[in-house]
Amino acid sequence: MYLGHGFVRGRPTRGPLVLSDDHPVTPGQPAAAGAAVVPEGRLDPAAKMTIGVLLVSAFVVILNETIMNVALPQLMVAFGVSADAVQWLATAFMLTMAVVIPTTGYLLQRFSMRTVYLMAMGLFSAGTLLAGIAPGFGVLLGARVVQACGTAIMLPLLMTTILNLVPPTRRGTVMGNVSIVISVAPAIGPTISGLILQYLPWRFMFLIVLPIALVALFAGARRLPRLAEAGSSPLSIPSILLAIPGFGGLVYGLSKIGGGHEGAGQGPDAGALVALAVAVVALAAFTLLQLRLQRTDRALLDLRPFTYRNFTLALILMVLAMVSLFGVIILLPIYLQNVRGLDTLGTGLLLLPGGLLMGLLAPFVGRMYDKVGPRPLMIPGAVLLAAVMFSYSQLASDTPIWWLLVLHLAMSLSFAFIFTPAFTTGLNPLPHRLHSHGSAVLSTLQQLGGAAGTALLVGIMASSTAGAALGGASAVEAEVQGFRHGFLAAAIVSLSLIVLSLFLRRTKETEGAE
């Protein structure tokens, strides 16, 4: 199994070391005499199998993240709960993700790959089963929290494993496969749930996913290697106590501010402002504590990845890209349903081709990245994204549906040229000891970027809609103006991606090594 560069019979090797699962090693440990060596730039079959299992598992858990949204109206009727209550099925999922993801850096450092995988898929499968048989709303809400715990662990585990197993010259190609998971799974989630709900009860959204999750769980238990634990640092309880109100409060506050536009014009929610204030204080204390603990390698979330220029720039770029992406994910379906009169299934089908396009292009973009680096891909992608967002800001109540489809396909094309290079460029320079923490930081701030994008764009849309209505515009005209201003904000954010893309550089061959 590839674990970085090492030595065979006293001589340095440039290629990945392949060791059997019966002889797990810690990265940097000399290989036993006679260990097989795979030439640089090649992946051994065991590494391909490991990454394949993790890709399938990540696809299943990320698909679950968006499959629920279409079912919320049916669940309100089924359990007799209000809209505010049923929204907690999505809010609790996001909160749990925000709190658990920062701990994955510690988990991946402390436990073996197989142990962490079994923990992630075991929690996800248990939560899915519980959701499928939930007798009441409270049980379903608890099941979503259990599912979120497993989902939060899976993506950092996948990215860390790729960094550990794949040589830098092949990471762009493999990260392209990760982009397939990240783009296609959320895109087809609403379409699949729309089809299920058209013919079957809502429980089948979980009961259909459960067998796939169980197959992945047992396949991973048999196939994944038991790599040796990297360390035995104690868990920092004060860090967890600060992370819960810090990351959880930030996502909660942002989601409450951007949760809808029914209360437009009434000012920000007081509870959301309190949550944001508490979150800022808790995160400041959390950061200071991690800076102190990382001196002795005891941090829950090591912040040393920020000392790498490419990582920091790519991280900022990813957060801003998520602001634009999540804002559009929220605004466009509302526009299609409220202004254009499409139903949920029609909306899902219109958005499906863009997600599929992004997934189909991801491997091609990954291979191109390995050849040309980030700039030739990201700069055109960022320019195209800005152009699409400015086009969205010109929407009218009678904009042709075919033009909306063209714009969504163009937006998906732009993100295909942004995400894979950003992931790879940001994580490539990190040494092995920071792989797990860098993946955890990246996944955490992706969640925060999505929540911030939702809050920002929905808030702008709501205030603009309210202002237009007070000015005498009709309900439809006021709402269209709100959408225009929301998309204009996304366009302005996307301009910053062009600037950041200019400063990203290709990782040198000497970077990323211990």
Side-chain angles (χ1 to χ4, degrees):
M1 189 57 58
Y2 172 57
L3 293 168
H5 302 291
F7 293 83
V8 176
R9 295 179 181 174
R11 293 180 287 107
T13 66
R14 291 181 57 81
L17 302 181
V18 182
L19 302 179
S20 69
D21 292 349
D22 297 329
H23 299 88
V25 298
T26 301
Q29 174 183 333
V37 179
V38 174
E40 185 172 12
R42 298 282 300 276
L43 286 179
D44 65 277
K48 291 180 180 178
M49 176 62 71
T50 297
I51 294 172
V53 169
L54 292 177
L55 282 170
V56 172
S57 303
F59 185 88
V60 173
V61 300
I62 295 175
L63 174 68
N64 170 78
E65 203 169 346
T66 58
I67 204 172
M68 171 69 77
N69 296 342
V70 177
L72 295 182
Q74 284 199 20
L75 294 172
M76 290 171 60
V77 176
F79 293 113
V81 296
S82 65
D84 287 340
V86 81
Q87 286 293 337
W88 273 99
L89 292 173
T91 302
F93 196 96
M94 285 197 305
L95 288 176
T96 305
M97 291 272 289
V99 171
V100 175
I101 287 176
T103 69
T104 57
Y106 169 83
L107 293 174
L108 293 169
Q109 289 278 331
R110 178 66 179 83
F111 301 104
S112 69
M113 179 196 300
R114 181 182 295 170
T115 300
V116 177
Y117 176 82
L118 293 178
M119 184 188 308
M121 287 307 294
L123 286 169
F124 178 79
S125 300
T128 303
L129 173 62
L130 188 59
I133 62 174
F137 180 76
V139 176
L140 180 59
L141 182 61
R144 288 289 286 172
V145 170
V146 176
Q147 279 186 318
C149 290
T151 303
I153 298 172
M154 183 54 64
L155 193 56
L157 171 62
L158 171 61
M159 290 194 291
T160 301
T161 303
I162 288 173
L163 292 172
N164 290 349
L165 301 185
V166 180
T169 54
R170 287 289 309 279
R171 283 181 188 163
T173 301
V174 180
M175 282 293 186
N177 295 327
V178 177
S179 296
I180 296 177
V181 171
I182 294 173
S183 58
V184 175
I188 68 174
T191 306
I192 291 176
S193 59
L195 289 171
I196 291 174
L197 294 173
Q198 189 123 355
Y199 302 104
L200 297 169
W202 64 266
R203 295 182 187 275
F204 280 86
M205 289 191 305
F206 303 105
L207 297 179
I208 289 175
V209 170
L210 179 61
I212 304 172
L214 291 175
V215 169
L217 173 63
F218 288 113
R222 293 184 57 196
R223 299 287 185 177
L224 292 184
R226 188 183 181 280
L227 302 184
E229 292 86 352
S232 57
S233 300
L235 181 64
S236 173
I237 301 300
S239 296
I240 293 179
L241 295 178
L242 289 172
I244 292 173
F247 294 104
L250 192 58
V251 169
Y252 174 77
L254 291 171
S255 66
K256 289 292 287 182
I257 290 175
H261 57 286
E262 292 83 355
Q266 298 178 4
D269 181 86
L273 295 179
V274 171
L276 290 174
V278 171
V280 169
V281 174
L283 286 176
F286 178 85
T287 301
L288 293 174
L289 180 59
Q290 302 317 296
L291 291 174
R292 182 168 62 85
L293 292 176
Q294 69 187 26
R295 298 171 188 166
T296 53
D297 292 326
R298 293 184 296 119
L300 179 71
L301 186 64
D302 199 313
L303 302 179
R304 280 176 286 193
F306 286 103
T307 61
Y308 293 82
R309 174 181 177 273
N310 260 14
F311 176 84
T312 303
L313 287 175
L315 186 63
I316 296 171
L317 189 148
M318 282 295 300
V319 169
L320 294 174
M322 295 301 286
V323 168
S324 296
L325 175 61
F326 269 72
V328 172
I329 286 176
I330 296 295
L331 293 188
L332 192 55
I334 297 174
Y335 167 83
L336 291 172
Q337 294 177 43
N338 289 7
V339 177
R340 305 312 306 274
L342 272 66
D343 59 15
T344 53
L345 181 58
T347 301
L349 291 174
L350 188 144
L351 301 180
L352 179 61
L356 296 178
L357 175 65
M358 198 186 307
L360 291 173
L361 285 174
F364 166 77
V365 174
R367 289 192 294 270
M368 289 298 297
Y369 175 89
D370 288 333
K371 295 178 180 178
V372 302
R375 291 180 190 170
L377 299 171
M378 296 186 70
I379 294 174
V383 171
L384 177 59
L385 178 62
V388 170
M389 291 302 172
F390 277 111
S391 297
Y392 272 134
S393 70
Q394 304 301 311
L395 288 181
S397 59
D398 58 350
T399 300
I401 295 296
W402 67 265
W403 178 240
L404 297 174
L405 177 61
V406 169
L407 288 179
H408 191 258
L409 288 169
M411 185 190 75
S412 301
L413 176 64
S414 68
F415 279 120
F417 279 84
I418 291 172
F419 280 141
T420 297
F423 274 128
T424 313
T425 304
L427 294 174
N428 258 355
L430 302 183
H432 177 86
R433 69 181 187 278
L434 295 180
H435 284 171
S436 59
H437 290 282
S439 299
V441 170
L442 183 63
S443 299
T444 299
L445 291 186
Q446 273 186 276
Q447 289 287 317
L448 296 179
T454 302
L456 174 66
L457 270 64
V458 172
I460 291 174
M461 182 199 71
S463 60
S464 177
T465 300
L470 291 175
S474 67
V476 173
E477 291 174 347
E479 198 157 15
V480 168
Q481 181 169 318
F483 287 119
R484 286 177 176 175
H485 289 170
F487 285 122
L488 181 60
I492 294 171
V493 170
S494 63
L495 289 176
S496 62
L497 302 184
I498 302 174
V499 178
L500 289 170
S501 300
L502 297 173
F503 292 95
L504 286 175
R505 57 178 176 79
R506 191 168 190 167
T507 305
K508 297 178 181 177
E509 292 184 5
T510 55
E511 292 185 86
E514 286 286 3

